[in-house]
Amino acid sequence: MPADMTFWAALLVGFFGGVHCIGMCGGIVGALTFGLPPEKRATPGQLLPYLLAYNLARITSYVVAGAIAGLIGALGLSLIPMQHAQLYLLMIAGGFMVLMGLYVGGWWFGLTRIERVGSRLWRYIEPLGRKLMPVRTPKQALLLGFVWGWLPCGLVYSVLIWALSAGSAAQGALLMLGFGLGTLPNLLLMGAFAAQLSALTRQKWVRWIAGAAVLGFGLYTIGSAIWNIQVG
C-alpha cells in the first residue's frame, strides 16, 4: 500500500476506532479537564490550549512508537529470507484490526488480554503522570500527554503491529501520525463535552457502526495482502 494511502487508511482507523478511545480514555480526559481550575474550563477558548497540549504530546508518543516499530520491522525483514514477508506482517496487522473491530463493537473482548500485557510496562510509567497532577499550566498538560501516549490500548497495539510492516522508521512514524490525528476529533470533543459523548458511546448502535468500520478495514487489509501475494 503506498505511503499516502497508508496514512489516510490509518487516519480512518483512528477516527472510526474513536468510540473505543472515548470509552477507554474518556475517564482520563474527564479527570484532567475537571481537575483544572474552574476559570480555566469556563469557556472552550480557555480550555482548548490544555486539550491541544495533551493531544499533541499523546500523538507525538504514537509517532515515536511508530518509528521504533517501523525500524524494528525493517531490520527484521532484512534478516528474514522470506518472499512477501512484509505482506504476511500486513495480514497479521489486518487480523488484529478485525479483532479490534469485534472489541469496539462489543462482540468479543479477548483483546483485553493484550492490554493486560501492556499494563506491566504502564506500572512503571503511570507514576510519572501522577506527579504532574493536578494540571495547572499547558506545559504540565504537554508533559502529561507524553505519558498518556503509552497507556495500554488494544487499538494502539493493533496499529503498531501494522507499523511493523511499514518498511522503515519514517513510514512507521507516518502511519502512527495518521492514526493519532484520526483519534484527535473524538478526544478533543471529549474534553469539551465529556458527559454528552460518554452517553452517546454507550449506545449500542454507535459501537456497532464503529466496530463494523474497523472490522471491515481489517478484512480489506487482509484481502489486499493476500491479493498481492498471489499476483506477486
Side-chain angles (χ1 to χ4, degrees):
M1 188 181 293
D4 55 341
M5 286 182 64
T6 299
F7 173 85
W8 292 108
L11 187 143
L12 289 174
V13 169
F15 181 76
F16 286 115
V19 169
H20 169 74
C21 293
I22 293 173
M24 183 168 186
C25 299
I28 298 173
V29 179
L32 295 176
T33 300
F34 292 116
L36 294 172
E39 65 274 12
K40 296 294 184 184
R41 48 188 168 87
T43 64
Q46 290 180 306
L47 183 60
L48 187 60
Y50 293 87
L51 296 178
L52 288 175
Y54 291 140
N55 286 286
L56 173 64
R58 175 180 62 86
I59 293 171
T60 300
S61 294
Y62 291 167
V63 170
V64 171
I68 294 170
L71 179 61
I72 292 172
L75 292 174
L77 290 171
S78 68
L79 298 175
I80 301 174
M82 184 193 300
Q83 189 180 18
H84 304 311
Q86 188 174 10
L87 292 173
Y88 285 116
L89 277 176
L90 195 60
M91 285 175 62
I92 293 172
F96 270 89
M97 284 181 223
V98 168
L99 298 180
M100 194 68 237
L102 294 173
Y103 181 32
V104 170
W107 301 306
W108 181 77
F109 297 98
L111 269 182
T112 54
R113 296 173 187 171
I114 298 176
E115 292 177 356
R116 287 194 205 111
V117 174
S119 66
R120 296 175 185 174
L121 175 62
W122 179 245
R123 282 191 216 132
Y124 298 99
I125 299 174
E126 188 270 339
L128 299 175
R130 204 181 309 137
K131 292 177 181 178
L132 295 167
M133 297 179 68
V135 173
R136 291 291 179 263
T137 66
K139 181 181 177 180
Q140 273 182 282
L142 190 71
L143 293 173
L144 191 56
F146 283 119
V147 176
W148 176 17
W150 300 96
L151 180 75
C153 173
L155 182 59
V156 174
Y157 294 163
S158 298
V159 183
L160 275 174
I161 293 172
W162 185 6
L164 281 170
S165 67
S168 69
Q171 297 286 0
L174 182 65
L175 191 153
M176 289 303 293
L177 174 62
F179 167 75
L181 292 175
T183 66
L184 187 58
N186 289 292
L187 290 177
L188 280 178
L189 287 172
M190 186 69 212
F193 304 102
Q196 296 92 325
L197 281 176
S198 180
L200 179 64
T201 56
R202 284 195 293 268
Q203 300 294 320
K204 284 186 178 180
W205 66 270
V206 174
R207 298 189 67 87
W208 288 350
I209 291 173
V214 176
L215 189 153
F217 189 80
L219 292 174
Y220 169 79
T221 301
I222 294 171
S224 176
I226 292 173
W227 170 261
N228 282 287
I229 287 172
Q230 290 176 339
V231 301

